Amino acid sequence: MRDSLAAVSLLGVPYDAHSSFLRGPAGAPTAVRAALDGGSANWCTERGIDLDPVKGAAWRDLGDLDLPEEVEPALTIIREAAADAIAGGGRLVSIGGDHLVTWPLVQAMTGEHDGLTLLHFDAHPDLYDELDGDRYSHACPFARIMEEGKVARLVQFGIRTMTPHQRAQAERFGVEVHEAREGVVSMPSIDGPVYVTIDIDVLDPAFAPGMSHHEPGGWSTRQLLDALAGIARSDAVVVGADIVEINPERDINGLTAMVGAKLVKELLELVGVSSP
Ligand code: MN
Ligand code: MN
């Protein structure tokens, strides 16, 4: 189902000015690139797709965006860069940044694709109307996205921090929430294009200590990879993906950056890169 001819791009989105608790995820693109290119692992995905750029694998690295601290101009730059990358059928994998960056990335996606489904992996539903008076908080992007009414479905996995307010928001927006306490869930069947957004804190902090919000009771790395494999086995056409909330300042031995690098490889395959 995937179109291997579509151009696939990797983009770093180093922005964390509206993180509510700790800064740091702006450093993730640098840390994840270093892990990708660090020599300790090969460039193959788990299914053996060789993504080595030196061998001519069909994806391009757009580097990292140069973003101002001020939020509105930053969001515009992110949205426009993503729109450029996907114009004409291109696919995009992004490394954030905190979860706010998913809002402009999804805006670019809905500009190109009708009927988009978001598959969202996170400890948190990120549905606050505002947090600490900030509507741009990284705790709010899915409220902003759903208010715009341009995505068909928002399906969340791994959630384990629901508040009464966020439960009400989920109901208001018709969000399909699969909480971590429900155990393993299989991927729903989906019509139309899919965007995958991975907040690294969907994982238990034991598997990825380099995150701002250590929320116990999370998924294993294996569970997340199996969920991505489930998407790959389905008929879903994945048009874009992001990984957000890796905080290198809290990482231990580059472990979380390495998880990010592995996820980048799996996501590049998921959006359609094949071996050269
Ligand atoms: Mn999040
Ligand atoms: Mn989170």
Side-chain angles (χ1 to χ4, degrees), residues 56-109:
W59 60 281
R60 57 186 174 160
D61 191 340
L62 300 177
D64 297 344
L65 294 176
D66 185 10
L67 296 167
E69 186 84 351
E70 200 185 339
V71 65
E72 280 290 353
L75 296 180
T76 300
I77 291 168
I78 298 166
R79 184 170 54 245
E80 290 179 352
D84 284 349
I86 64 172
R91 307 283 167 84
L92 180 63
V93 174
S94 305
I95 313 168
D98 72 26
H99 224 152
L100 176 60
V101 308
T102 298
W103 180 24
L105 292 170
V106 167
Q107 286 177 320
M109 292 288 155

Side-chain angles (χ1 to χ4, degrees), residues 19 25 97-99 138 199-200 210-213 243-247:
S19 284
D98 72 26
H99 224 152
H138 71 152
D199 181 327
I200 201 70
M211 59 171 73
S212 295
H213 299 263
I243 303 163
V244 298
E245 298 285 350
I246 290 174
N247 186 338

Side-chain angles (χ1 to χ4, degrees), residues 98-99 120-126 138-139 141-142 199 201 244-245:
D98 72 26
H99 224 152
H120 170 197
F121 300 88
D122 203 327
H124 313 92
D126 293 348
H138 71 152
F142 294 93
D199 181 327
D201 68 31
V244 298
E245 298 285 350

Side-chain angles (χ1 to χ4, degrees), residues 89-244:
R91 307 283 167 84
L92 180 63
V93 174
S94 305
I95 313 168
D98 72 26
H99 224 152
L100 176 60
V101 308
T102 298
W103 180 24
L105 292 170
V106 167
Q107 286 177 320
M109 292 288 155
T110 55
E112 195 79 13
H113 302 283
D114 291 330
L116 190 68
T117 291
L118 304 186
L119 299 181
H120 170 197
F121 300 88
D122 203 327
H124 313 92
D126 293 348
L127 286 166
Y128 281 103
D129 184 54
E130 52 85 19
L131 190 70
D132 305 329
D134 183 8
R135 289 173 62 80
Y136 292 108
S137 169
H138 71 152
C140 304
F142 294 93
R144 300 293 84 81
I145 287 168
M146 297 311 280
E147 284 163 359
E148 290 175 342
K150 291 185 179 164
V151 303
R153 294 169 72 185
L154 170 57
V155 190
Q156 299 183 325
F157 302 92
I159 306 296
R160 52 193 189 277
T161 58
M162 271 290 192
T163 61
H165 166 67
Q166 294 201 93
R167 228 176 260 293
Q169 289 280 84
E171 199 154 314
R172 170 186 168 203
F173 294 125
V175 183
E176 299 161 62
V177 183
H178 299 283
E179 298 187 49
R181 62 196 170 95
E182 295 168 32
V184 176
V185 288
S186 54
M187 284 297 125
S189 75
I190 300 158
D191 293 322
V194 170
Y195 184 84
V196 176
T197 177
I198 300 174
D199 181 327
I200 201 70
D201 68 31
V202 68
L203 299 181
D204 193 276
F207 292 90
M211 59 171 73
S212 295
H213 299 263
H214 289 160
E215 186 63 39
W219 283 16
S220 69
T221 309
R222 186 72 257 156
Q223 273 178 284
L224 178 57
L225 291 167
D226 289 349
L228 297 182
I231 300 169
R233 279 193 304 272
S234 75
D235 288 336
V237 177
V238 181
V239 295
D242 64 52
I243 303 163
V244 298

Side-chain angles (χ1 to χ4, degrees), residues 8-20:
V8 176
S9 305
L10 180 68
L11 178 68
V13 187
Y15 190 78
D16 63 8
H18 286 255
S19 284
S20 61

